[in-house]
Amino acid sequence: MANPTALASVRAALSMPRLAPFDLHAGNDPAGGLQLYEWNIHVGAAFFQTLHTVEVVLRNTLNDQLCAWHAGLGLPGNWFDDPLGLLDRRGREDIAKARRRLRTQGYPITPDRIVTELSFGFWRFLLARRYHLSLWVPTIRHGFPHLQPPTRPAIAEPVTRLHQLRNRIAHHEPIYKRDLAIDLDDVRTVLGAISPIALEWAEGNSALPGVLGARPAPVRIPLPRCP
């Protein structure tokens, strides 16, 4: 932003405490700090676009496996009714909240609506160690036919990191200090483990490569010379 008055106005609107870490990373240059802040917005938006696909594909594959397993056991209702009492308190509360939100909004409480109402965090925790024997081994591992190695941590760990990234972006927190190349690898691991074709489609619709390549160069502050 070339206009000093406009630069000062925008910086004041965003607040100095918010911009201070960006300024420091940009060598205490106000224009450079704002430029890095702008890039942080762009890369967050690009990741959010890709995380949309990750979340939808992940929840669909988990739901598909749980539905098939539930039906195969001949259990009544739906898997999220938890007739075997396998879900922990947090999981049951998440499902109850989803039902209440749908009821409050006047929507019919259908299986599809409940699945879409459950958060990324709910699906992430279905991959936790506590569900290894009860859910991973008998059912949800089959939702990741291309996972290598075919172990629960190999998918749980990248999903956890992507959930944390998603939350940082959703709360407008900086992500420029993260190793975003690892985050992109996590996206590829999760989608590739479920469907390489879905991964190829997502990459074809992603703005991430271009945005990542447009990151402002870091400013190196010269060290003072010894007398």
Side-chain angles (χ1 to χ4, degrees), residues 9-135:
S9 295
V10 171
R11 289 177 58 83
L14 293 171
S15 85
M16 293 305 297
R18 184 167 187 81
L19 289 172
F22 296 89
D23 291 346
L24 183 63
H25 198 76
N28 293 317
D29 171 40
L34 184 60
Q35 184 183 22
L36 181 59
Y37 187 86
E38 292 168 353
W39 180 83
N40 190 83
I41 293 174
H42 294 316
V43 76
F47 259 111
F48 216 75
Q49 175 192 21
T50 299
L51 288 170
H52 166 103
T53 303
V54 173
E55 182 172 353
V56 170
V57 172
L58 177 67
R59 76 187 184 197
N60 285 345
T61 197
L62 292 176
N63 179 61
D64 288 348
Q65 296 305 317
L66 289 164
C67 284
W69 180 65
H70 184 92
L73 292 176
L75 297 173
N78 298 286
W79 67 263
F80 47 78
D81 297 323
D82 195 23
L84 298 180
L86 300 179
L87 298 178
D88 65 7
R89 179 179 58 83
R90 175 175 180 163
R92 294 193 301 272
E93 288 178 353
D94 285 346
I95 293 168
K97 288 177 183 176
R99 292 181 186 276
R100 286 197 297 270
R101 284 194 297 269
L102 291 172
R103 193 175 297 114
T104 299
Q105 295 165 7
Y107 291 117
I109 302 177
T110 64
D112 285 346
R113 287 191 182 276
I114 288 179
V115 167
T116 58
E117 193 69 23
L118 291 168
S119 69
F120 195 171
F122 173 86
W123 303 106
R124 163 197 165 181
F125 284 112
L126 288 186
L127 298 169
R129 183 171 58 183
R130 70 176 68 93
Y131 294 125
H132 182 82
L133 292 178
S134 58
L135 295 180

Side-chain angles (χ1 to χ4, degrees), residues 154-174:
I155 195 69
E157 291 171 5
V159 167
T160 296
R161 289 191 293 267
L162 291 176
H163 178 238
Q164 293 166 345
L165 172 65
R166 182 258 178 215
N167 286 348
R168 289 195 66 84
I169 296 170
H171 291 94
H172 314 304
E173 296 176 2

